Structures are given as C-alpha cells and as structure tokens.
Amino acid sequence: NNEEIVALHSGTGLAQVSLGEKEAALATFEHAMKLFPRNIPLTVRYAETLMRYDEAEEAHEVLLDLLNQVPPTLEQIRLIALAANAAGDTADAHYYMAEYHAMSGSLQPAIDQLQLALSTPGLDSVQRARFMARLKQFQEYLPDRQDEEKSGNERGN
C-alpha cells in the first residue's frame, strides 16, 4: 500500500541523512516526491532534510506548495515559518507565525506578528495586501470576542 511505500522512502532518506549521504538522501526524497506529490508526512520529512542541508528556500517552496493544497497542521505552519526565516524571507516568516498563533487561538500575538510583517522593509504590493487583509480579519474578530465576554459576564451577574 502507498503508506508503506512512503514510509520506506522516508526511512531510506532519513537513513542516508544519518549516514552523511546528502546527495543520495536528497535523490531518494526527490524521487519519492515525484511518486507521491503533496504526501504530507513525506513532504514534511523532505523539507526538514532540505533545512538540515541549508536549502531553506527549496524547503520553503515545497512547504508552501503543500500549504496551498491541504489544510496545514500547527507543526507544518511552524516549519514553514522556520524555513521562510532561514531563507531570509522575514516578512513571510512573521506572516506564518501569525497564522501559527491564530490557529493556536492566540489572536494578540498573531496581530503582533502581522504588524512586524508589515514593518519589514521591501514588501511588495501583494504581500502588503495579504498581510493587511489578514490583520483586519484578526482585529475585527478580537473586539467581538471581548464584547461577547462582557455580555456573558453581565448575564452571569
């Protein structure tokens, strides 16, 4: 079955990494990715391997492709934030950390991360628009939650 084949490729790639066989490990993962594109565990292992070999830009691209296709887990969002940061993409690293905090239910840190993203020099218009839209969503939600808490407290009194 496919899960067993993916596990075999991942295990082989990770064994090659541990033996210091960088080229073989990357070739194993690249072959597996062609066979099983966007397989979540495989993509995450491949991205971690790329990061280990200081190929953060490639890791960022692989993870971004996955993120755009399947609902991400918290760990995947954290990993893509690390990859973006290691690739020197500070603005996107802040953006992904904002998503990580939001998914964790912490809106204020998410808002703080988006404000940091917006203050990053050299943003293009697409990035700025994306960050602003997400910031607006979070800010609109935050007061609503506070209003609900107040009205809930008043009802309880």
Side-chain angles (χ1 to χ4, degrees), residues 6-142:
V6 167
L8 177 66
H9 282 287
S10 288
T12 301
L14 293 174
Q16 291 165 324
V17 168
S18 68
L19 293 170
E21 299 173 1
K22 174 185 176 179
E23 298 309 318
L26 291 175
T28 296
F29 278 112
E30 286 162 11
H31 176 69
M33 291 290 291
K34 286 178 186 159
L35 294 174
F36 304 100
R38 298 184 181 125
N39 176 279
I40 295 169
L42 180 63
T43 303
V44 169
R45 297 296 163 274
Y46 180 43
E48 289 170 340
T49 301
L50 288 167
M51 298 264 300
R52 180 182 181 127
Y53 292 128
D54 295 323
E55 297 190 26
E57 287 182 26
E58 179 69 20
H60 187 186
E61 287 177 28
V62 166
L63 290 165
L64 187 57
D65 176 65
L66 183 65
L67 189 79
N68 288 330
Q69 301 302 320
V70 295
T73 64
L74 271 174
E75 181 56 25
Q76 289 163 3
I77 292 175
R78 190 184 72 77
L79 187 59
I80 197 170
L82 292 173
N85 191 51
D89 191 347
T90 308
D92 273 350
H94 287 304
Y95 173 78
Y96 297 129
M97 283 309 297
E99 293 298 328
Y100 176 85
H101 288 301
M103 218 172 150
S104 303
S106 303
L107 281 184
Q108 192 55 56
I111 288 168
D112 295 343
Q113 286 294 322
L114 284 171
Q115 288 169 335
L116 288 169
L118 284 163
S119 68
T120 305
L123 288 184
D124 62 40
S125 59
V126 173
Q127 283 177 307
R128 184 171 298 285
R130 184 172 48 132
F131 301 162
M132 289 296 293
R134 203 66 174 129
L135 180 62
K136 187 175 181 215
Q137 284 178 322
F138 293 161
Q139 287 172 331
E140 285 173 355
Y141 184 71
L142 200 57

